[in-house]
Amino acid sequence: MTKLTVRVDDRLATISPMIYGHFAEHLGRCIYEGFWVGEDSPIPNTRGIRTDTVAAMRKLGAPVVRWPGGCFADDYHWRDGIGPRDERPRRLNVWWHDTESNRFGTHEFLDLCRQIGTEPYICLNVGSGTPEEAAAWVEYANCARNTSRAAERAANGSPEPFAVRYWGVGNENWGCGGRFAPDDYAREYRRFACYLRSRSSSPIELIACGHTGPEWNRKFLETLGDPHMIDHLSIHRYYNCGHAVDFSDTEYYNLFPRALQVEDDITEAATAIALYNRTPRKIGVIVDEWGVWHPEARGDSGLYQRNTLRDALACAAVFDAFNRHADVVTMANIAQTINVLQCVAQTAEEKMWLTPTYHAFALYKPHMGSTSLRLDLDDVPTVEAHKADGTPVQLPVLSASASLDEARNSVCITVQNLHLTEPCDVAIRLRGGKVAKASAKVLTAKDVRDCNGPDSPNKVRPKRFQVDARATTLRATVPPHALVSVRIRL
Ligand code: AHR
């Protein structure tokens, strides 16, 4: 019997709700079709934005959406996307083999965010833009004073400032965002950051582009010098193993160490920050692009890929890593909302269906804003798996998170059994808490390769699950390749 001890009396940190965030780029069918269909579309919409995908994101309580890229951001000029839609210029979308109509711009994005009830996070153009262009965008969006740019925003339909809080200073500036060396990016970042805060009438938070591996982050922070210029450092992590759907059992297991590489990335970024930030001021780590990127998602086909139950389980394993590092991770944005990579929903014209990954988000929702609890796992069976570089690892088949919602006096425990064929008997003990009532849901399917589609939208979806609760202990038999979410009233 595997033992899981949840230490209700041993609290790590508040889990930022932003950890369960999203990313939407002008890429493939994410923005156009996924969200924007236009006011004249037969697909039900509100001011051009389709209602079904908005409703799905809203139900999820999506806390933040990052936009407009991605690589697209460092070639995007925001003025192209404001004013009368029919007069907006057509541009090349050089990264994603496409043209950009600019029908979806700043106002449409902020309308989308309001419809979803989510925070906007805008990524500025450093690669091909200027500090002045970036500062002007902040002023246009956020300035409450009587400037020409604020007046232009009002004339375009928004007299009130949008109060956008999160601004990224470029994207992957070590790659598609200008191919900078870390010290050059630090100097450029300083120039940009210097002019941004003063243009906003509301507080803003600046996100610098970091990288995985030790060199970039340390060199960047060392050259930057002043820790007050940065609020968060962002990193990206993508992974895959085998085909999206027709993967072998070995490839199934090997995906998990690759996904969990993000934990080392977070630790590395946090260590770099701690080395250079000698002030008590917190600089967070943001993972603003992450997820499974299968080989079938190619640039010329809009990075569309099928999403199986395996992807949802890998997503949950990464959520567990984020929750374990709730003290340093301030936001994370899975790539990318609708129709692109590890999205939460997919569409085919008027049809929309939720991916298994959507359901993983839904089962982890109670962790948002709750307090991450430390836990102990004992007697967990392991299976052999391999990291991306071929190093063998013993992969524990059980992964878990626990959090306390003090206001509701409730605990949420998410447990997943990664084993492909064996159920896992788990004894969960609450240390420092007593169960008054417990209910649970399970996400699983006949085959871990199962996915939802236009004609089978509910093949993989959560169902009620039986847990046996007594005083301080719960017992559950977690089926193979399954994720269980337990809500406990104390
Ligand atoms: O999400 C797809 C792309 O992956 C993004 O545009 C880029 O930032 C990353 O390399």
Side-chain angles (χ1 to χ4, degrees):
M1 167 89 60
T2 296
K3 296 180 199 73
L4 166 60
T5 307
V6 174
R7 302 201 228 159
V8 182
D9 51 3
D10 190 355
R11 300 165 190 185
L12 172 65
T14 301
I15 299 171
S16 165
M18 298 289 168
I19 285 175
Y20 294 88
H22 300 266
F23 164 44
E25 181 169 10
H26 287 238
L27 196 181
R29 294 183 298 117
C30 181
I31 294 294
Y32 298 105
E33 188 181 318
F35 287 122
W36 180 260
V37 288
E39 284 147 328
D40 302 330
S41 169
I43 297 171
N45 68 82
T46 305
R47 294 182 293 280
I49 297 169
R50 68 189 287 168
T51 48
D52 52 1
T53 50
V54 164
M57 299 283 290
R58 207 181 160 80
K59 195 161 174 211
L60 218 44
V64 60
V65 177
R66 175 178 183 250
W67 173 86
C71 293
F72 180 81
D74 283 276
D75 200 30
Y76 179 65
H77 301 281
W78 66 271
R79 285 206 150 274
D80 291 345
I82 58 167
R85 253 177 241 123
D86 290 340
E87 293 169 24
R88 296 183 192 172
R90 285 191 77 78
R91 304 284 187 211
L92 286 174
N93 181 339
V94 290
W95 292 105
W96 305 115
H97 318 278
D98 216 340
T99 53
E100 171 57 52
S101 69
N102 281 304
R103 298 189 93 72
F104 190 92
T106 303
H107 289 258
E108 290 77 13
F109 171 61
L110 292 162
D111 189 15
L112 169 70
C113 291
R114 282 183 181 163
Q115 290 188 34
I116 294 174
T118 197
E119 282 279 340
Y121 162 11
I122 292 182
C123 187
L124 297 163
N125 177 349
V126 170
S128 68
T130 63
E132 176 48 27
E133 183 188 13
W137 199 1
V138 174
E139 181 184 329
Y140 180 85
N142 283 5
C143 184
R145 297 169 71 179
N146 183 18
T147 72
S148 300
R149 292 198 181 100
E152 195 180 2
R153 181 193 65 231
N156 285 332
S158 297
E160 292 303 315
F162 291 113
V164 177
R165 187 172 189 96
Y166 300 100
W167 295 87
V169 184
N171 167 75
E172 294 192 357
N173 300 95
W174 36 264
C176 62
R179 306 212 186 287
F180 287 94
D183 47 345
D184 290 335
Y185 172 67
R187 287 181 206 102
E188 202 64 11
Y189 178 93
R190 243 194 334 245
R191 287 183 69 218
F192 274 71
C194 199
Y195 302 102
L196 297 177
R197 293 193 208 274
S198 53
R199 302 287 182 105
S200 177
S201 302
S202 50
I204 64 171
E205 297 184 27
L206 298 182
I207 297 138
C209 162
H211 202 355
T212 51
E215 289 85 18
W216 172 281
N217 295 340
R218 292 183 189 204
K219 190 78 193 161
F220 163 70
L221 290 162
E222 185 191 12
T223 313
L224 182 68
D226 182 359
H228 292 94
M229 299 198 92
I230 160 178
D231 297 295
H232 312 264
L233 184 68
S234 90
I235 53 173
H236 294 173
R237 172 58 64 187
Y238 290 104
Y239 35 84
N240 64 53
C241 193
H243 190 270
V245 176
D246 298 322
F247 48 86
S248 68
D249 290 358
T250 306
E251 287 166 339
Y252 163 80
Y253 287 120
N254 284 350
L255 183 66
F256 292 92
R258 293 172 192 215
L260 289 169
Q261 176 65 39
V262 77
E263 196 154 8
D264 293 344
D265 301 334
I266 292 165
T267 307
E268 165 53 44
T271 307
I273 291 168
L275 270 175
Y276 293 100
N277 179 20
R278 299 285 184 200
T279 71
R281 192 172 167 274
K282 180 173 174 172
I283 297 174
V285 176
I286 286 186
V287 189
D288 54 16
E289 287 185 34
W290 67 275
V292 186
W293 185 328
H294 293 299
E296 78 176 22
R298 295 186 327 273
D300 57 3
S301 50
L303 300 191
Y304 182 86
Q305 65 186 22
R306 281 165 293 169
N307 277 247
T308 63
L309 175 62
R310 173 175 75 151
D311 300 326
L313 298 178
C315 170
V318 170
F319 283 155
D320 288 340
F322 291 160
N323 290 346
R324 276 195 289 278
H325 295 273
D327 51 339
V328 295
V329 183
T330 40
M331 189 193 290
N333 312 71
I334 198 167
Q336 307 193 2
T337 52
I338 319 292
N339 291 329
V340 169
L341 298 175
Q342 193 170 0
C343 47
V344 291
Q346 294 175 319
T347 62
E349 296 178 350
E350 79 292 352
K351 288 192 178 174
M352 187 216 65
W353 60 97
L354 306 173
T355 65
T357 294
Y358 180 97
H359 297 304
F361 270 81
L363 293 183
Y364 273 70
K365 194 175 164 189
H367 290 310
M368 289 168 64
S370 294
T371 307
S372 185
L373 300 175
R374 291 198 174 84
L375 43 83
D376 304 306
L377 277 164
D378 293 300
D379 304 327
V380 183
T382 58
V383 287
E384 183 165 292
H386 291 85
K387 292 185 172 184
D389 65 4
T391 315
V393 284
Q394 285 303 314
L395 176 73
V397 299
L398 211 82
S399 176
S401 285
S403 67
L404 170 73
D405 181 335
E406 283 189 82
R408 291 197 174 83
N409 200 28
S410 68
V411 166
C412 173
I413 304 172
T414 39
V415 187
Q416 51 170 345
N417 176 13
L418 304 180
H419 204 287
L420 272 175
T421 52
E422 300 293 325
C424 188
D425 288 325
V426 193
I428 304 173
R429 189 170 74 87
L430 292 191
R431 203 187 78 179
K434 231 174 160 188
V435 184
K437 203 175 159 198
S439 62
K441 283 186 175 168
V442 66
L443 180 70
T444 190
K446 218 159 138 208
D447 193 315
V448 78
R449 296 159 186 87
D450 283 349
C451 46
N452 296 333
D455 301 320
S456 52
N458 291 317
K459 194 165 182 182
V460 187
R461 66 164 169 176
K463 300 201 171 92
R464 291 207 170 282
F465 184 70
Q466 191 59 41
V467 283
D468 181 14
R470 264 173 233 166
T472 58
T473 314
L474 294 105
R475 277 175 196 246
T477 301
V478 185
H481 54 77
L483 161 61
V484 168
S485 176
V486 190
R487 304 285 304 267
I488 299 165
R489 235 201 27 243
L490 298 177

